[in-house]
Amino acid sequence: MQTATFGRTAKRHSPMEVTEKLWNKNYLKVLTANFMLFFSFMLLAPLLPLYLSETFHADKDAIGLVLSGYTITALVIRAFSGYLVDTFPRKLVLLVTYFLFALFFVGYLAAGTLLFFTIVRTLHGAPFGAATVATTTVGIDVVPASRRTEGIGYYGLSNNLATAISPTIALLIYGMWHSYDILFILALLLALGGFCINATLDIPKKTVVKKNLPLSLDRFILLKGWSQGLTILCFSLAYGIVSTYIALYGKEELGITSGTGLFFAIFAVGLILSRITGGRSLRKGRVLQNATQGIIVAFVGYFVFAALHNPWGYYGAALIIGLGNGHMYPAFQNMFINLASHDQRGTANSTILVSWDLGIGFGILAGGFLSHNFGFHPAFWTAWVANGVGAIFYFLYSRSNYIRNKLR
């Protein structure tokens, strides 16, 4: 038997019993603020193609270019954000970047031309990219060491759920009021709410990186995680194509004008089910098992979406892809953390997010080009192929590379 002290009292636990509380106050706050960060940003994602088309009469190529602009700035800033949160006080970095992220939603309301909107959307990627790295790193800091694998899994789910649920809410709101301004205002309010929650965090102190340490590439990119990053890029490229053009595809080819929200709702159900079925194995540290299951299931899901051009394929694929992503993404996030030393957590988080953003950006561009010139079907088959390339690379190299290099 061992004795563990909590506050003023001490309780005795068996050796197999978990003695550290995962759902502590700070962890719940970080989860909520992270959920609101992604929810507010992704609230606009499914309707921005329609907004650009209806408001500025942009064609599919122009839509792809405009919507991919934020990826460039997010990518650039994330490469430096890991260094910032590993070097400077994390709460300060978090609050500054989160506030700037909220402030940019005012620009959407003020944009009166396509050029102005493009500038706002592109610049918005900078605080979004930095805030996601900061909040993810803080989230890992407040998770007890003995519950880290499980905690990262649930943290990743907060990203996934926000990404899945917010489009559903956006489409419902737009269906009721047919106003994009309401969505922009709601996103602004949610982001400000997340900022206020972060302001109340009690973040543990960290060891500051010494100022005389030489700058090197591994201070910005987790070099040992390059193969995991390439794998994630392939998966996110597939998701970027499908998630960005799902509304236009449903409206133009399937006659689904109000069912896109249901697609993302079913996708969210898949994410939740994946946590129920995969939570136990993550708790036991079976990261590779979760990743493998998720990769295989997602591969099937993208095939169903590309092959079946009817509501059954449309909605069925949403559930399958949700199940796959819900298993896969938290597993890969754990891989990055397990490949990094404690003073590289920010770098590890920035690397996976940079990889994800690169894939999303390429997916938006590829989807726009293919759907405009060849139609939606080649675009969605490209998504399936990209997912398959990531799966093959994972099984042939990335998996074994992780086993060789992991630190914990």
Side-chain angles (χ1 to χ4, degrees):
M1 302 290 285
Q2 64 181 7
T3 302
T5 302
F6 295 83
R8 298 179 181 179
T9 62
K11 297 182 180 180
R12 299 179 68 82
H13 299 270
S14 65
M16 297 299 293
E17 187 177 354
V18 176
T19 59
E20 293 182 286
K21 183 179 179 182
L22 172 60
W23 300 99
N24 59 68
K25 182 171 62 176
N26 274 327
Y27 183 62
L28 289 171
K29 287 180 180 180
V30 170
L31 278 181
T32 304
N34 182 63
F35 179 87
M36 295 173 79
L37 174 75
F38 278 87
F39 191 99
S40 58
F41 194 75
M42 297 306 297
L43 187 70
L44 310 180
L47 285 168
L48 283 182
L50 294 175
Y51 171 73
L52 294 173
S53 176
E54 294 176 1
T55 305
F56 303 114
H57 308 291
D59 61 23
K60 292 175 184 176
D61 279 337
I63 290 171
L65 289 171
V66 172
L67 297 185
S68 63
Y70 89 91
T71 306
I72 299 173
T73 49
L75 173 65
V76 172
I77 200 67
R78 276 175 174 165
F80 295 95
S81 298
Y83 171 76
L84 292 176
V85 297
D86 285 338
T87 306
F88 300 101
R90 284 176 180 162
K91 185 172 182 178
L92 176 62
V93 175
L94 174 61
L95 292 179
V96 170
T97 57
Y98 207 112
F99 179 76
L100 291 175
F101 164 75
L103 191 62
F104 263 88
F105 283 111
V106 177
Y108 291 90
L109 290 165
T113 65
L114 181 61
L115 177 61
F116 188 23
F117 183 91
T118 302
I119 293 172
V120 171
R121 181 67 177 179
T122 300
L123 293 179
H124 201 183
F128 175 70
T132 51
V133 173
T135 191
T136 301
T137 308
V138 169
I140 295 170
D141 283 345
V142 301
V143 173
S146 64
R147 311 291 297 274
R148 184 165 294 139
T149 300
E150 182 185 5
I152 291 174
Y154 286 114
Y155 183 89
L157 182 61
S158 71
N159 295 0
N160 298 147
L161 283 177
T163 302
I165 295 173
S166 57
T168 304
I169 302 300
L171 290 163
L172 286 173
I173 293 173
Y174 182 75
M176 294 174 63
W177 287 287
H178 298 283
S179 171
Y180 295 106
D181 284 351
I182 291 177
L183 294 173
F184 296 150
I185 293 171
L186 179 59
L188 171 63
L189 294 176
L190 287 169
L192 289 174
F195 169 80
C196 293
I197 291 172
N198 279 329
T200 67
L201 283 172
D202 181 18
I203 300 175
K205 293 182 179 180
K206 67 179 182 67
T207 302
V208 178
V209 176
K210 295 180 180 179
K211 303 299 182 182
N212 60 351
L213 289 177
L215 290 179
S216 58
L217 186 59
D218 62 356
R219 297 283 295 280
F220 303 97
I221 298 293
L222 187 67
L223 298 179
K224 289 192 297 184
W226 74 268
S227 62
Q228 283 70 34
L230 184 57
T231 307
I232 281 288
L233 186 151
C234 292
F235 296 152
S236 63
L237 193 155
Y239 184 75
I241 294 175
V242 171
S243 63
T244 303
Y245 297 97
I246 189 73
L248 287 174
Y249 167 65
K251 178 181 179 181
E252 295 182 8
E253 294 218 0
L254 302 181
I256 299 175
T257 56
S258 60
T260 309
L262 181 58
F263 176 93
F264 286 104
I266 295 173
F267 179 80
V269 170
L271 293 174
I272 295 170
L273 291 176
S274 72
R275 287 293 86 235
I276 295 174
T277 58
R280 183 184 295 271
S281 60
L282 261 189
R283 194 178 305 123
K284 295 180 179 179
R286 297 172 183 170
V287 175
L288 292 176
Q289 177 180 319
N290 264 40
T292 299
Q293 291 173 350
I295 289 169
I296 293 173
V297 171
F299 181 73
V300 173
Y302 283 107
F303 177 81
V304 169
F305 190 84
L308 301 181
H309 310 135
N310 56 50
W312 287 102
Y314 188 83
Y315 293 120
L319 179 64
I320 301 171
I321 295 172
L323 284 168
N325 281 12
H327 277 290
M328 175 269 296
Y329 190 86
F332 270 85
Q333 195 166 20
N334 269 288
M335 286 188 203
F336 276 90
I337 297 302
N338 292 341
L339 287 168
S341 58
H342 293 301
D343 61 353
Q344 284 187 306
R345 284 180 186 169
T347 303
N349 288 319
S350 68
T351 303
I352 186 174
L353 291 169
V354 163
S355 302
W356 182 265
D357 269 352
L358 269 175
I360 292 290
F362 288 142
I364 293 172
L365 288 173
F369 173 78
L370 291 170
S371 62
H372 177 73
N373 293 284
F374 305 102
F376 288 111
H377 299 173
F380 296 142
W381 278 116
T382 300
W384 177 67
V385 170
N387 187 267
V389 170
I392 292 170
F393 183 68
Y394 169 79
F395 289 113
L396 291 183
Y397 183 82
S398 180
R399 186 178 184 276
S400 59
N401 182 64
Y402 167 74
I403 294 173
R404 287 194 303 270
N405 292 289
K406 66 178 182 177
L407 300 179
R408 58 184 74 86

